[in-house]
Amino acid sequence: MDRSPIPLLHPMLARQLRRLGIDPEAGPSSPDRWQALLSLVGNTYAEYEQLVYLVTRAERMSTDELQRSQSALAEAEQIAGLGSWTWRPGDEVLRVSPTLASLMQLPAATRELPLVLWLAGMDGADRTLVHDSLRRATRQAVSLTGELRLQMREGVQRWMQYRIVSRPDPERPGQMAVSGTLLDITERMRAEEQVRTLAFQDPLTGLCNRARFFELLGHARSQVHGSGEQLALLFLDLDGFKEINDRHGHDAGDQLLRQVAERLRSTVPPHDPLCRFGGDEFLVLIRADGQQAALEALAEQILAAISAPFEVEGRRLSVGVSIGIAVYPGDAVSTLELVRAADTAMYHAKQHGKGRVRFHHPAHTA
């Protein structure tokens, strides 16, 4: 008996025939049997061909949609500066996205990154924190965020916001699947630093401003409180500045103040806070050892530095400075009282001829 030719079946259709108990590899025993087989999958061979076309098209669409989804995800990561990674505890490598490879300045084709290399690029304290977070993520479901610093090529440091998420691994019962992201926030951190600088820095001289100085003074006072250590506050007020400002104008006055600030920087120890308190007034905070002679020596150095002529707009201009000194806790018990005590001592220095130094004395307040 002639056997009908066996058509090349689509794999999905062949699987369906097997579910129906029909061997797709065996030819039909008769035309009647073949017609019965076709009835199970379509009334005509043309419908079968149409079914194959639709199935194939659906599979192709799914593949295309997956590729488009992956492409869109990669594009979104790149636009946002957001890199992603996955890790199975016990593995020695992270699986990284193209954007993460780019963020870390790795070759573009990098898709696996040794865990030890990833951690090695972090600042020491950040490395410890992330390492501990990863250990925690291997034991329980977590969602952790934080900030870290990555060392890039040529010593460049970038700020990253990280996120670590873990959940039970469906493919490995009893174990966790860990993933995360890195977001480049360097520009944001720089902007925040600029805001902090503007908030706490005198725009004319670059010294810290009054708000920042009171913050530093309060912190220093809390450190030495009850320790037996002392703080000395030097209150400086320029002599003759108003006359220069009135005669030569505010631009010349501003230039003079900048130069005064530079001379103070070069005279005052770099670790001691230096502030433009306002106008032509400046403050210096010193950790004192109780020896008045050392404070007097520093004050005399400041007097000498400021008394030398300044070159402003082609003119030689001269100013002096009067200095008042108060000591915590001997002269005051609060930050504001300490500033007032030093200010009062400076006022008495001016009363006694200017260009000199006076320590606070209880009689001054009276």
Side-chain angles (χ1 to χ4, degrees):
M1 181 181 294
D2 294 337
R3 297 175 65 88
S4 300
I6 302 174
L8 182 62
L9 299 181
H10 188 277
M12 183 176 289
L13 185 57
R15 288 195 296 271
Q16 181 62 29
L17 291 174
R18 290 190 181 94
R19 293 191 187 99
L20 297 173
I22 300 170
D23 182 4
E25 302 296 333
S29 57
S30 67
D32 293 340
R33 175 62 176 163
W34 179 240
Q35 289 298 325
L37 185 150
L38 290 178
S39 297
L40 294 173
V41 296
N43 292 329
T44 63
Y45 190 77
E47 290 181 356
Y48 161 70
E49 289 290 337
Q50 184 180 21
L51 175 62
V52 171
Y53 166 74
L54 292 174
V55 170
T56 304
R57 182 172 181 270
E59 287 186 340
R60 185 172 63 252
M61 288 178 61
S62 297
T63 302
D64 291 344
E65 288 173 357
L66 177 61
Q67 291 176 343
R68 286 197 297 270
S69 176
Q70 292 174 337
S71 177
L73 176 60
E75 183 178 2
E77 283 192 3
Q78 185 176 13
I79 293 174
L82 179 73
S84 60
W85 54 269
T86 58
W87 177 58
R88 282 186 169 181
D91 289 354
E92 296 181 357
V93 298
L94 300 175
R95 289 165 179 80
V96 301
S97 70
T99 302
L100 185 61
S102 177
L103 285 177
M104 298 192 66
Q105 298 180 345
L106 301 171
T110 302
R111 293 297 175 268
E112 291 187 345
L113 175 65
L115 180 61
V116 65
L117 182 61
W118 184 53
L119 292 171
M122 301 177 188
D123 180 80
D126 299 332
R127 184 187 309 121
T128 301
L129 180 61
V130 172
H131 185 267
D132 291 345
S133 297
L134 287 175
R135 291 181 59 187
R136 180 180 170 189
T138 64
R139 298 192 297 265
Q140 63 188 77
V142 299
S143 179
L144 307 172
T145 59
E147 296 170 351
L148 59 85
R149 289 153 291 181
L150 282 180
Q151 295 295 332
M152 318 304 285
R153 290 197 298 265
E154 300 178 356
V156 177
Q157 190 178 77
R158 306 287 293 180
W159 277 95
M160 302 286 173
Q161 183 180 69
Y162 70 85
R163 183 178 182 86
I164 298 175
V165 178
S166 64
R167 58 180 62 84
D169 190 339
E171 298 180 6
R172 301 192 304 174
Q175 297 192 48
M176 307 300 291
V178 185
S179 60
T181 58
L182 282 182
L183 176 64
D184 190 337
I185 58 171
T186 304
E187 296 306 318
R188 190 193 81 189
M189 296 298 286
R190 287 174 179 168
E192 291 179 358
E193 181 60 29
Q194 290 177 351
V195 170
R196 284 192 291 269
T197 298
L198 291 174
F200 294 120
Q201 187 180 76
D202 174 54
L204 179 64
T205 63
L207 303 178
C208 74
N209 61 15
R210 180 186 308 208
R212 176 59 173 165
F213 189 83
F214 270 107
E215 183 180 277
L216 294 173
L217 178 56
H219 180 66
R221 189 175 66 88
S222 64
Q223 285 185 320
V224 304
H225 180 71
S227 68
E229 291 187 81
Q230 295 181 328
L231 297 174
L233 181 63
L234 282 64
F235 199 116
L236 286 59
D237 187 275
L238 298 183
D239 301 322
F241 175 76
K242 183 178 183 301
E243 290 77 4
I244 291 177
N245 212 34
D246 292 342
R247 181 176 179 180
H248 301 288
H250 293 292
D251 288 343
D254 287 348
Q255 290 186 41
L256 179 61
L257 288 174
R258 292 190 191 98
Q259 293 187 39
V260 167
E262 288 301 319
R263 292 190 185 181
L264 289 175
R265 283 194 185 97
S266 64
T267 305
V268 175
H271 58 274
D272 293 326
L274 174 60
C275 159
R276 182 188 177 203
F277 196 60
D280 59 345
E281 298 175 334
F282 299 85
L283 299 179
V284 181
L285 183 62
I286 305 291
R287 286 286 184 99
D289 57 6
Q291 296 183 6
Q292 182 171 319
L295 295 174
E296 288 179 337
L298 176 60
E300 291 295 334
Q301 291 176 19
I302 294 175
L303 288 176
I306 301 303
S307 64
F310 295 87
E311 291 290 336
V312 178
E313 297 180 345
R315 306 183 186 93
R316 288 172 61 86
L317 303 178
S318 296
V319 293
V321 62
S322 297
I323 304 175
I325 303 177
V327 177
Y328 172 87
D331 297 327
V333 295
S334 71
T335 54
L336 186 57
E337 288 177 354
L338 184 63
V339 173
R340 287 175 176 169
D343 184 16
T344 303
M346 181 275 299
Y347 175 75
H348 281 268
K350 280 189 176 292
Q351 280 189 325
H352 289 79
K354 302 181 181 179
R356 62 190 64 212
V357 181
R358 283 289 185 272
F359 280 83
H360 180 263
H361 189 277
H364 295 165
T365 303

